[in-house]
Amino acid sequence: MPDNTVIKKSSIKKSRRWSVAIRLIVALLLIAFAIFPVLWMISASFDNSNSLATQSLIPANAGIANYKRLFNKDPNFSFGEIKYWQWLLNSIKVSGISTILSLSITTMAAFAFSRLRFKGRVSILKSILLIQAFPNLLSLVATFALVSNFGNIVSAIGLNTHAGLIMVYMGGSMGMNIWLMKGYLDTIPRAIDESGMLDGASPFEIFWHLLLPLLRPILFVVSILSFIGTYGDFLLARVLLNDSSKYTLMVGLQIFTAGQFDKKWGVFAAGALIGAVPIMLIYFFLQDQIVGGLTAGSVKG
Amino acid sequence: MALADKPKDAHSIAESQLSKIIRVVFMIAFNAGALWFIYQAYSKGFYQIAILLGIIVVFFDVIFSLKKGYPFRWMAFGLAFMLVFVIYPIFFTLYIDFTNYGDGHLLTKEQALVQIENATYLPATGKSYDWTAFKSDNGEYALWLTDRSTGETFLAKPDEEIQATKPGDPGVGEADAKGVPQSIEGYTRLNTLLAAADKQLPNIKFGLAGEEGLSTVQVRSPNEAAELQIRYLYDKEADTLTDQETGRVYYDKEGIFTSTDGRTVQPGFRANIGWKNFINFFTSPALRGPIVRILIWNFIFPLISVVSTFALGVSIAIMYNEKDFPLKKLIRTLLLIPYTIPSVITILIWRGMLNSEFGVINRILNAVIGTAPRWTTEPIWAQIAVLIVNLWLGFPYMMLITSGALQSIPTDMYEAATIDGANSWQKFRSITLPLLLVAVGPLLIASYVFNFNNFGLIYLFIGGGPAIVGASTQAGHTDILISYIYKLAFESGGRGVQYGLASAISVVLFILVGAMTLFQYRFTNMWEEVSENA
């Protein structure tokens, strides 16, 4: 009997070792699948030949020529109007402003829904949920017409303006952010409000001095995620902006595919890499918080 | 125990002087700004927007002046933004799907009539003048006119009212033998030959038109200028246009004024065409065929995407779930990479890698097995390519959410199953999978809905192509409804944009997506929770 169990134990150990080995090999294959396009992008960006057809994983003539071309420092290369820094700046501006304004507005609204009791509260919350079932992406044509009409009334908020785009982003994010922030506010115990009320604080003081400091960490994560989401948007920016100096980075990168993509491949890769790295770093630094946010129900957009 | 439940609620605390001042100043500023905007919108004919803003102003004024409105002040801007940018576009979509809004019908009827009523013609007879041309240094023209019947003299410039002027008036020089001033301040007189040879001159309309009693003058021949007549007279009662020159009568026919012999007056305008956008679907096979294909693919594509990404994600989560698995953290971090890059960028990278001629994938395939699919031109391979790219984009997300959910499955369930003699596959089938599906089910539905509208992937990777042969619109084999809508509205490829048809399809999409999301709410009991929390 004792012999038997020893044999069994060692065979379990042995089969486990095999299983780990196989799984490590599978992991290697999966990692290759996951990171190959990224390696390919990096290698393309340092391949001076700037051509899709001749690129290899280890560039034959490595250098930074593509980066020079991207910043218009190469007189021999010209393709349309590359305004890379301008695009990046536009993206940061549009995403930053719409994130900050949207979260300020929605956090205040969420406070009312979470802490105040008034007639119509539940109906409004339900209506917001219902409206969220129809993302504003679907009324694309109407949104385009609306912003175009705005431009005919006051040109500063019409088509081809960042203000118009920011307002559309804000409008689209309201419902979801109100729900998200209300959810976080609901987790803060009411006892905190009550202690403030006993001291005679007004609702605004309770919001500003007691709740907001507690919300700060989650507000930070939500604003990062919201910023990344807006930064990565393509469709609305593509529809509402039509001047290359107004483009956001994602729209700017897309115009590389017009005409002969394979002849601008390296320059595109350089631009793509610079646009991707900051977002990748944010993800890795905030990995745990983001995973927490994901299971709260947000889907990457 | 909310704040307002207490008898001593917010409103019984006396509002401080400062916050009252801030509130009043805000209300004045907001009303001033909004009313100015409404006035601009109204005067330019954008009545819908004026009404929309009017509703918001009334709402703001009520809640900021009545005590009862206090809680709504917190959400005023949020609700206003939702009204303008989410709710209004939904209703506007519902409205334009019954119109022919699109190329040739871009304006409203009021706007079109303003343009039509501006049209003029040069009558064969009528008031005529002798003229002399002047030209300024920066190329602007002026005309000196002498009425042939009365001998009155005028100075006419483009877009300015024609002024009765005499030689010797301020800025006007003395008359020569013919009664024409030698000079006009800022202008040089053109001699008759030069003026007759000027090619621009006969096209310029001098004077200001549009207002009652005003009309423009145009050069007709080297020695005659004539007053232009308004070409069309609009009869509001009969809704007809009458051409003053020919006497032809035009009737409003689906957004364009058309005569009985088929002539039309440009520009056309947006008109209600009832259910025509929907009826076209049933009557036109060249329209219907592609749309049915797109619709089927629109359901299959997210289904395969969700199943494939979930399968891969779960497999990874389970394979590397053990706490002491070697290099666990590193493996997970590397596998997460596709999720951390903005998808626009990685989709475009894949577009290059899967290029049929030069892409690295096909170069490898050609070298290894001697043949490679044409990803962009063969429908089935294009669809497979889209699915592969979406698997790459989506599996890390599934890995994240399922490995989170795996932690919450109690281990004693597996121990009990082991004692009952279950093997790994049985444990997975009857414990892991059902519990996982309960935990992440709502996220799977959300993922399905997201991919149902995954415009970025379809458009950026392949533009919806390859094109469906025989389609009357720009439809492709990988198109989904949202990318098809985009192409109809913004990339018609020379076939004319069709906002009306695009909106009709948007309405179909609204219904489908709305139904799916409401199903998701049921699944999560979100709806009931709202009521319970009240």
Side-chain angles (χ1 to χ4, degrees):
Chain A
M1 280 296 263
D3 275 348
N4 224 343
T5 46
V6 169
I7 291 165
K8 221 175 190 176
K9 255 187 188 165
S10 77
S11 85
I12 285 175
K13 239 183 190 171
K14 207 172 175 187
S15 82
R16 176 175 151 75
R17 209 174 296 144
W18 269 108
S19 135
V20 168
I22 291 170
R23 280 186 281 172
L24 278 175
I25 294 170
V26 173
L28 225 56
L29 292 173
L30 286 169
I31 289 169
F33 175 57
I35 67 170
F36 182 76
V38 183
L39 296 179
W40 197 246
M41 164 172 74
I42 296 170
S43 120
S45 79
F46 291 106
D47 182 351
N48 283 354
S49 67
N50 186 23
S51 160
L52 187 59
T54 58
Q55 191 210 339
S56 57
L57 198 53
I58 312 292
N61 47 350
I64 55 163
N66 289 325
Y67 291 87
K68 281 186 181 160
R69 292 172 185 142
L70 184 65
F71 301 124
N72 299 315
K73 298 268 163 61
D74 181 351
N76 297 323
F77 176 83
S78 83
F79 149 64
E81 293 182 86
I82 307 181
K83 297 170 181 163
Y84 193 81
W85 288 128
Q86 183 73 49
W87 296 340
L88 194 61
L89 220 65
N90 289 344
S91 273
I92 292 170
K93 172 184 150 193
V94 168
S95 318
I97 294 177
S98 54
T99 297
I100 289 170
L101 288 180
S102 165
L103 281 175
S104 312
I105 291 173
T106 51
T107 308
M108 288 181 69
F111 170 78
F113 284 120
S114 172
R115 291 310 208 256
L116 306 177
R117 288 295 177 270
F118 50 92
K119 218 177 152 195
R121 175 177 164 276
V122 176
S123 341
I124 297 176
L125 275 175
K126 278 193 171 178
S127 311
I128 293 176
L129 202 56
L130 194 66
I131 292 162
Q132 278 312 104
F134 307 98
N136 71 342
L137 190 74
L138 303 189
S139 38
L140 188 66
V141 177
T143 304
F144 170 78
L146 176 70
V147 176
S148 145
N149 286 345
F150 272 170
N152 289 329
I153 298 168
V154 177
S155 57
I157 54 172
L159 289 180
N160 205 26
T161 65
H162 290 154
L165 182 63
I166 288 171
M167 290 202 300
V168 172
Y169 282 142
M170 284 170 65
S173 67
M174 286 294 148
M176 158 129 176
N177 280 349
I178 287 177
W179 267 95
L180 205 61
M181 295 317 297
K182 177 187 171 288
Y184 292 125
L185 269 164
D186 284 344
T187 61
I188 299 178
R190 292 273 154 84
I192 292 176
D193 307 32
E194 278 151 26
S195 72
M197 275 169 60
L198 290 179
D199 293 339
S202 70
F204 183 77
E205 285 165 329
I206 291 173
F207 172 73
W208 192 257
H209 295 298
L210 298 178
L211 298 182
L212 212 50
L214 294 173
L215 274 182
R216 205 165 288 154
I218 194 69
L219 262 178
F220 176 69
V221 174
V222 173
S223 38
I224 295 283
L225 282 178
S226 162
F227 179 91
I228 291 175
T230 317
Y231 179 91
D233 174 72
F234 170 74
L235 180 53
L236 285 168
R238 182 80 188 85
V239 169
L240 296 180
L241 305 174
N242 48 37
D243 183 3
S244 73
S245 66
K246 290 280 169 63
Y247 283 167
T248 59
L249 184 58
M250 296 304 134
V251 179
L253 287 177
Q254 188 255 337
I255 62 170
F256 276 88
T257 62
Q260 290 186 301
F261 192 23
D262 53 294
K263 300 273 163 55
K264 302 165 274 194
W265 175 244
V267 184
F268 162 79
L273 189 65
I274 298 176
V277 166
I279 308 294
M280 288 174 79
L281 290 179
I282 292 175
Y283 264 105
F284 285 116
F285 282 122
L286 295 175
Q287 203 171 334
D288 296 338
Q289 287 94 322
I290 288 169
V291 173
L294 281 182
T295 34
S298 59
V299 181
K300 187 189 178 191
Chain B
M1 287 307 284
L3 295 179
D5 286 346
K6 298 246 170 174
K8 247 182 170 298
D9 68 359
H11 319 314
S12 61
I13 298 169
E15 191 182 6
S16 78
Q17 211 60 33
L18 179 70
S19 82
K20 201 171 214 165
I21 292 171
I22 293 174
R23 184 157 63 91
V24 171
V25 170
F26 165 76
M27 277 180 72
I28 293 172
F30 179 81
N31 273 287
L35 290 177
W36 175 81
F37 191 87
I38 291 173
Y39 172 74
Q40 295 289 327
Y42 182 81
S43 63
K44 287 175 185 168
F46 296 101
Y47 303 125
Q48 288 184 3
I49 292 178
I51 292 170
L52 194 67
L53 267 290
I55 293 171
I56 292 174
V57 170
V58 172
F59 171 67
F60 269 59
D61 284 347
V62 168
I63 63 168
F64 276 95
S65 46
L66 297 182
K67 270 189 171 176
K68 244 188 146 177
Y70 179 78
F72 294 99
R73 292 177 202 168
W74 286 87
M75 60 187 80
F77 280 104
L79 296 184
F81 265 99
M82 284 195 81
L83 179 67
V84 176
F85 291 100
V86 183
I87 301 174
Y88 173 70
I90 292 177
F91 284 102
F92 193 65
T93 306
L94 290 177
Y95 158 69
I96 48 182
D97 68 346
F98 293 117
T99 68
N100 55 4
Y101 190 24
D103 267 353
H105 303 275
L106 287 170
L107 304 171
T108 64
K109 191 168 183 176
E110 291 79 15
Q111 290 166 331
L113 276 173
V114 168
Q115 289 196 16
I116 290 171
E117 286 173 341
N118 265 338
T120 52
Y121 73 104
L122 208 53
T125 58
K127 241 182 185 177
S128 62
Y129 304 90
D130 291 322
W131 60 272
T132 309
F134 292 80
K135 192 177 183 180
S136 74
D137 289 341
N138 47 20
E140 286 165 8
Y141 290 87
L143 271 196
W144 181 265
L145 301 170
T146 311
D147 190 319
R148 283 188 174 171
S149 46
T150 63
E152 282 177 280
T153 54
F154 303 89
L155 181 60
K157 294 173 185 173
D159 300 320
E160 280 179 41
E161 211 174 305
I162 297 176
Q163 301 285 345
T165 319
K166 288 190 178 67
D169 281 355
V172 182
E174 290 302 322
D176 66 2
K178 288 181 189 163
V180 178
Q182 311 276 10
S183 66
I184 290 175
E185 201 179 311
Y187 292 87
T188 342
R189 184 170 159 175
L190 301 181
N191 66 43
T192 320
L193 258 170
L194 216 55
D198 196 311
K199 288 213 170 74
Q200 284 184 46
L201 205 50
N203 299 323
I204 301 173
K205 291 176 184 174
F206 292 91
L208 197 64
E211 306 278 330
E212 285 295 316
L214 290 179
S215 59
T216 50
V217 169
Q218 204 169 340
V219 168
R220 179 159 46 195
S221 70
N223 44 30
E224 190 189 17
E227 196 172 70
L228 294 166
Q229 302 282 316
I230 297 294
R231 177 148 195 180
Y232 298 104
L233 262 189
Y234 178 59
D235 183 344
K236 210 167 183 180
E237 296 287 303
D239 194 20
T240 54
L241 278 184
T242 311
D243 190 329
Q244 301 297 303
E245 191 179 10
T246 60
R248 195 176 270 118
V249 179
Y250 296 86
Y251 304 90
D252 176 358
K253 190 183 169 197
E254 288 188 348
I256 190 146
F257 280 106
T258 312
S259 69
T260 41
D261 57 349
R263 287 169 192 260
T264 58
V265 179
Q266 295 295 338
F269 47 90
R270 206 152 82 201
N272 199 316
I273 55 166
W275 292 89
K276 208 167 173 182
N277 282 322
F278 296 95
I279 293 169
N280 277 347
F281 173 81
F282 294 104
T283 54
S284 158
L287 183 68
R288 181 178 60 230
I291 291 182
V292 169
R293 261 174 190 274
I294 288 170
L295 201 58
I296 294 170
W297 170 241
N298 206 155
F299 278 98
I300 294 175
F301 156 69
L303 183 71
I304 301 181
S305 291
V306 171
V307 170
S308 61
T309 52
F310 181 72
L312 187 55
V314 170
S315 314
I316 293 172
I318 291 176
M319 269 194 290
Y320 310 108
N321 192 36
E322 286 160 39
K323 276 204 177 66
D324 54 346
F325 194 85
L327 302 173
K328 182 177 167 176
K329 178 91 186 160
L330 178 71
I331 293 172
R332 275 172 181 269
T333 305
L334 287 174
L335 288 179
L336 201 63
I337 282 180
Y339 187 70
T340 61
I341 306 176
S343 60
V344 173
I345 289 176
T346 44
I347 291 166
L348 292 173
I349 295 285
W350 273 101
R351 180 182 173 138
M353 295 197 339
L354 281 172
N355 182 304
S356 297
E357 267 176 86
F358 309 117
V360 58
I361 309 277
N362 276 12
R363 279 196 270 143
I364 293 173
L365 287 178
N366 275 324
V368 176
I369 58 171
T371 175
R374 318 243 350 135
W375 304 102
T376 46
T377 48
E378 282 176 42
I380 186 72
W381 285 112
Q383 292 176 338
I384 291 172
V386 166
L387 290 167
I388 293 173
V389 176
N390 213 19
L391 176 65
W392 185 87
L393 287 167
F395 85 87
Y397 172 72
M398 293 295 180
M399 176 184 93
L400 278 178
I401 61 170
T402 51
S403 56
L406 273 183
Q407 311 297 330
S408 62
I409 299 176
T411 46
D412 51 0
M413 293 188 79
Y414 293 109
E415 280 157 23
T418 314
I419 290 165
D420 288 346
N423 62 29
S424 309
W425 173 244
Q426 283 168 327
K427 279 187 243 173
F428 174 77
R429 272 292 308 269
S430 35
I431 302 172
T432 317
L433 194 59
L435 288 175
L436 266 186
L437 283 177
V438 170
V440 301
L443 296 179
L444 294 186
I445 301 174
S447 175
Y448 186 90
V449 175
F450 171 78
N451 281 310
F452 200 84
N453 297 313
N454 198 341
F455 172 84
L457 174 62
I458 302 294
Y459 179 78
L460 292 169
F461 179 66
I462 197 164
I468 295 174
V469 177
S472 62
T473 48
Q474 288 253 80
H477 283 278
T478 53
D479 260 325
I480 52 178
L481 289 174
I482 186 80
S483 64
Y484 183 55
I485 291 169
Y486 176 87
K487 287 204 231 164
L488 281 178
F490 304 106
E491 263 181 20
S492 56
R495 292 180 220 211
V497 298
Q498 305 185 49
Y499 297 132
L501 180 59
S503 296
I505 298 170
S506 300
V507 171
V508 175
L509 199 51
F510 270 139
I511 295 169
L512 295 174
V513 172
M516 284 187 264
T517 313
L518 294 182
F519 175 69
Q520 183 200 357
Y521 291 164
R522 266 200 85 75
F523 208 103
T524 50
N525 294 324
M526 223 160 155
W527 205 248
E528 287 72 15
E529 267 171 41
V530 186
S531 318
E532 280 161 20
N533 276 340

